[in-house]
Amino acid sequence: MDEMLGEIVGMTVQVTGCDACLVYLLEQNSGEIVLRASQVPHAAEIGHLSMTVGQGVTGWVVENKSIVVLAENAPSDKRFMRLPGLVEDTYEAFCSVPLIAVGEVIGVINVHHKERHDHSPEEVSLITFIGEQMGGAIARARLEDENARLMEETQEMKRQLETRKLVERAKGILQYKFNLTEEEAYLRLRNESRRLRRPMRDLAEAIILTEDLARKASEPGTLDRDVEGD
């Protein structure tokens, strides 16, 4: 994602020769428009500076799915909202273009010039093209990230289920061997896990393995088979 955002900034700067380029993304969970990339360093603001849909020119672009082009005196526009920490908001010219994916706005590309700048139709068209093409790429990357997250959550659920099964089996063994209640068996497992500083799963596996070996050794003919094998 960061590489894609960097590509957007780089291509936009190359096309427009601007003094600053900012990229905002619409967060799916919160619905906020968050600063995610910048030509000018903004370490403290990236990922933290945000606004709501409809707020400022950027929020207006998201809400209306439209382009805003201001050749001069951009801060005087009635939709303009000054954000703390952004020197770009003091610049003269401003162009804001939506990032589009499957017909929906997922973010905004903002282009700033320190001096008056007449954005040519070709320039605006190229920024729009970047927004459309990279918007689709970002949407696909987000989907891949979401799929990876869901896969990891599924694997974690499987690990937790397997651990629960092992602990339940180990508890049963302790209950049977030492005539313990279920709670007493669990407390013994937990306390030993803490004392040994080992995960409860490891302790449960050790108990189960010991019990399986003991049962196998007690089976009739086991010793004879082992001797023959030697």
Side-chain angles (χ1 to χ4, degrees):
M1 180 68 74
D2 289 339
E3 290 179 3
M4 287 186 186
L5 295 174
E7 287 290 335
I8 292 174
V9 171
M11 287 189 291
T12 304
V13 171
Q14 184 177 2
V15 166
T16 64
C18 61
D19 296 302
C21 175
L22 303 176
V23 179
Y24 293 82
L25 292 183
L26 182 63
E27 296 297 325
Q28 297 165 312
N29 294 330
S30 66
E32 292 186 322
I33 308 165
V34 181
L35 179 63
R36 291 294 307 272
S38 170
Q39 174 194 8
V40 178
H42 282 292
E45 288 78 23
I46 297 292
H48 300 287
L49 193 150
S50 65
M51 67 192 77
T52 59
V53 174
Q55 226 177 6
V57 175
T58 301
W60 188 92
V61 168
V62 172
E63 185 176 46
N64 293 276
K65 301 181 182 180
S66 298
I67 299 168
V68 171
V69 178
L70 304 170
E72 61 181 348
N73 201 16
S76 68
D77 187 275
K78 63 181 182 180
R79 295 164 296 186
F80 201 90
M81 182 182 71
R82 178 76 184 273
L83 294 175
L86 293 188
V87 66
E88 293 87 344
D89 282 352
T90 64
Y91 292 177
E92 187 75 7
F94 181 50
C95 178
S96 187
V97 174
L99 275 164
I100 303 292
V102 198
E104 295 297 325
V105 179
I106 64 167
V108 175
I109 304 173
N110 285 348
V111 177
H112 302 261
H113 287 82
K114 291 181 179 179
E115 306 297 333
R116 172 188 168 84
H117 179 79
D118 291 314
H119 305 84
S120 68
E122 292 78 12
E123 182 180 309
V124 175
S125 177
L126 285 171
I127 303 172
T128 303
F129 179 76
I130 292 171
E132 292 173 347
Q133 297 302 308
M134 295 304 293
I138 288 172
R140 288 191 294 273
R142 276 181 163 176
L143 181 60
E144 291 174 1
D145 288 345
E146 178 66 11
N147 288 339
R149 184 186 66 80
L150 291 174
M151 181 65 71
E152 178 58 31
E153 286 184 358
T154 301
Q155 293 302 320
E156 179 59 27
M157 288 176 62
K158 287 182 179 179
R159 286 192 289 268
Q160 291 179 6
L161 181 59
E162 290 169 358
T163 297
R164 186 179 180 88
K165 286 181 177 179
L166 291 169
V167 169
E168 289 297 319
R169 187 177 171 192
K171 276 170 37 182
I173 293 171
L174 293 178
Q175 286 179 257
Y176 177 77
K177 292 188 67 174
F178 300 103
N179 194 27
L180 302 174
T181 65
E182 183 178 355
E183 183 179 1
E184 289 171 337
Y186 173 78
L187 290 175
R188 180 172 292 194
L189 270 171
R190 188 194 66 184
N191 292 338
E192 280 298 296
S193 173
R194 291 176 177 176
R195 186 180 68 82
L196 298 173
R197 296 183 179 179
R198 297 294 300 276
M200 195 177 291
R201 174 174 180 146
D202 291 355
L203 195 57
E205 288 178 333
I207 292 171
I208 294 168
L209 178 61
T210 301
E211 179 66 15
D212 288 345
L213 290 174
R215 185 174 63 252
K216 182 179 179 182
S218 65
E219 291 177 357
T222 301
L223 182 60
D224 294 339
R225 287 197 299 273
D226 291 344
V227 171
E228 290 174 2
D230 293 340

